Amino acid sequence: MMKSIVLLFSFGLLRKSDAFGIPSSPLARSSFRTKIYAEEVADEVVTPDDYDLLPPEDEESTNDGTVRSERATELKRKLYQLAASYDRGFGATPKARDEADDIIQQLALINPTENSARGIDGDGYGEEVPLKAIWRMVWTSAFDVVSLGASPFAAPSAIYQDISNPPIATNIIDFIPRAQTLFPSAFSPPSLLRAEVKTRASSRNGMSNRVGLIFEELKLQPIELLGQKVDNLPPLSVDFTWPRNLIDQLAGFVPGLDNLGFGDGENVNSDTPGFFDVDYLDDELLVIRQNAPGGVFALVKVDSCDP
């Protein structure tokens, strides 16, 4: 009887052992593994490649960055879908505008670029300029741009923000005849007129994502007329860089002229009305919010703005 009890007790211990015969007792397991580890360290050279060099908090940051990137990709996909469905905002319904605004607000919360306006002054040699690029508009809710689509004679084509040579920032709008959007080219030979508004950009003190603007020139350049290139014709230009004292004198006859950011000597670091705020910026997408009359612009980076 005693022999049977001893055999049963021994069998029970074996049942509680793992596949490598390490006893299940915590103290026994610890002592055994410590001995194994000490013997291995004595015989082997341990290199950094044998370890995960990222501490737990860095792992969490990496995972968080991945989640934010995936979230941004999904939000941008939804925004591009709206842009394609509602003609960049020109044909947007109130519901579509609300959807786009909600997407943009969510993007602004995960904006990966800090101090978006850095280097925009053009005087930081070797300094990275996050905004430096050519951007083409894919969505807008700005009334002053959306209203351009109401003309029965001309329709807005491509719209760009050229910041390839800071501090110069040029707004470009290509116009085509309305008939050109309705009929094949055989019935309506292509024509194109390019409007360029040249501004001088500058960072604003204490506002890392705000870019101040001074309007310098408006230029209307014919590019194509009834299928013939006419870009060698001289443009129609209006120079806004008048002396500041002349602007002040004219403001007495044209109320509000002195507040439009025209004229040399204007301090773009002050609260002049010409500016935009960067809501979101990465290597693909730029979202800006302009001051009066308000509205947002979503633009994608492109290689060229050639018509």
Side-chain angles (χ1 to χ4, degrees):
M1 179 69 178
M2 181 62 69
K3 182 182 293 185
S4 299
I5 294 174
V6 170
L7 287 173
L8 288 172
F9 180 75
S10 301
F11 179 73
L13 284 179
L14 290 174
R15 287 288 303 273
K16 292 181 180 179
S17 301
D18 62 21
F20 295 97
I22 300 176
S24 61
S25 166
L27 180 59
R29 285 200 307 268
S30 175
S31 300
F32 185 84
R33 288 172 178 164
T34 301
K35 180 178 180 181
I36 294 295
Y37 175 77
E39 292 174 353
E40 290 178 349
V41 169
D43 296 334
E44 298 181 6
V45 176
V46 181
T47 67
D49 293 336
D50 297 325
Y51 298 96
D52 184 356
L53 300 179
L54 290 176
E57 58 270 18
D58 286 341
E59 288 181 352
E60 293 176 3
S61 299
T62 301
N63 292 335
D64 181 62
T66 301
V67 171
R68 289 162 67 95
S69 177
E70 292 175 351
R71 178 60 176 161
T73 298
E74 176 64 16
L75 290 170
K76 288 188 288 186
R77 183 185 64 82
K78 292 180 178 180
L79 183 60
Y80 297 155
Q81 287 179 339
L82 282 173
S85 300
Y86 294 96
D87 189 17
R88 299 175 294 172
F90 289 102
T93 62
K95 180 181 178 182
R97 292 193 193 97
D98 290 342
E99 287 184 38
D101 286 343
D102 181 63
I103 292 171
I104 289 171
Q105 289 174 15
Q106 293 182 61
L107 281 170
L109 295 176
I110 55 175
N111 181 16
T113 305
E114 298 180 356
N115 191 10
S116 303
R118 68 180 181 273
I120 196 65
D121 305 86
D123 54 4
Y125 298 102
E127 183 179 15
E128 180 187 7
V129 185
L131 288 169
K132 184 177 181 179
I134 298 174
W135 306 91
R136 183 171 61 211
M137 192 194 81
V138 295
W139 177 267
T140 186
S141 61
F143 177 76
D144 57 331
V145 175
V146 172
S147 61
L148 297 175
S151 170
F153 306 107
S157 183
I159 298 177
Y160 301 92
Q161 181 89 334
D162 183 359
I163 320 179
S164 58
N165 186 30
I168 301 302
T170 304
N171 302 320
I172 300 172
I173 303 179
D174 290 337
F175 291 96
I176 59 177
R178 177 66 64 181
Q180 193 170 309
T181 66
L182 304 175
F183 303 106
S185 58
F187 297 96
S188 179
S191 299
L192 189 146
L193 174 68
R194 169 161 287 193
E196 298 183 3
V197 179
K198 179 182 175 182
T199 65
R200 183 169 297 273
S202 177
S203 57
R204 290 285 181 90
N205 292 332
M207 300 179 181
S208 61
N209 289 321
R210 176 165 293 184
V211 176
L213 300 170
I214 291 181
F215 296 92
E216 293 193 342
E217 183 183 27
L218 167 64
K219 182 170 68 174
L220 299 176
Q221 175 67 61
I223 303 296
E224 192 173 14
L225 180 63
L226 299 178
Q228 301 298 317
K229 291 290 186 180
V230 292
D231 51 356
N232 57 339
L233 294 177
L236 173 63
S237 300
V238 180
D239 187 2
F240 294 139
T241 59
W242 305 315
R244 186 62 192 176
N245 57 359
L246 177 59
I247 296 290
D248 293 336
Q249 294 176 19
L250 292 176
F253 303 95
V254 184
L257 183 63
D258 55 339
N259 292 324
L260 292 179
F262 297 156
D264 57 10
E266 182 71 24
N267 181 8
V268 293
N269 290 321
S270 65
D271 292 329
T272 53
F275 68 84
F276 64 78
D277 292 319
V278 177
D279 278 1
Y280 183 87
L281 174 62
D282 62 16
D283 292 336
E284 171 190 350
L285 177 68
L286 166 65
V287 179
I288 60 176
R289 188 176 302 273
Q290 72 172 2
N291 61 320
V296 298
F297 295 83
L299 310 99
V300 294
K301 184 181 292 186
V302 295
D303 296 328
S304 171
C305 58
D306 293 337

